[in-house]
Amino acid sequence: AASLLQSSPQAVLTVNSTAHIQFANSAAAKMFGYTRKELLGKSLEALVPGALSARLTRLLAEPGTCGRRSELQIKPDPSH
């Protein structure tokens, strides 16, 4: 399964219950401008803008979130 996620053309991150990255594929590394190794252990909240960061925090705090697949669409900011 990890090889399928790694080869996905879409950015894929998995995080633990404290929103720290446990897995990042190459597309995610490219999107955020880090290597895959640099992303591991990084707080997801450090990578996303304030409003989305708050949404992620609420999503992860919901009961039953751990082990459940959640999808968020993050589009690059064209001003950067």
Side-chain angles (χ1 to χ4, degrees):
S3 64
L4 288 174
L5 294 176
Q6 174 52 34
S7 63
S8 174
Q10 294 191 356
V12 177
L13 297 172
T14 60
V15 297
N16 62 17
S17 61
T18 61
H20 287 85
I21 297 170
Q22 302 295 296
F23 171 85
N25 70 354
S26 295
K30 183 177 179 181
M31 182 174 94
F32 289 111
Y34 291 93
T35 66
R36 290 179 59 221
K37 187 175 181 179
E38 289 171 327
L39 284 172
L40 297 180
K42 186 175 277 303
S43 169
L44 186 57
E45 293 173 344
L47 298 178
V48 296
L52 185 54
S53 178
R55 182 176 170 205
L56 288 170
T57 300
R58 285 192 307 275
L59 177 68
L60 290 169
E62 289 178 10
T65 298
C66 290
R68 187 180 83 202
R69 179 178 176 247
S70 297
E71 213 173 289
L72 293 174
Q73 299 254 341
I74 301 173
K75 297 184 185 204
D77 182 348
S79 67
H80 291 107

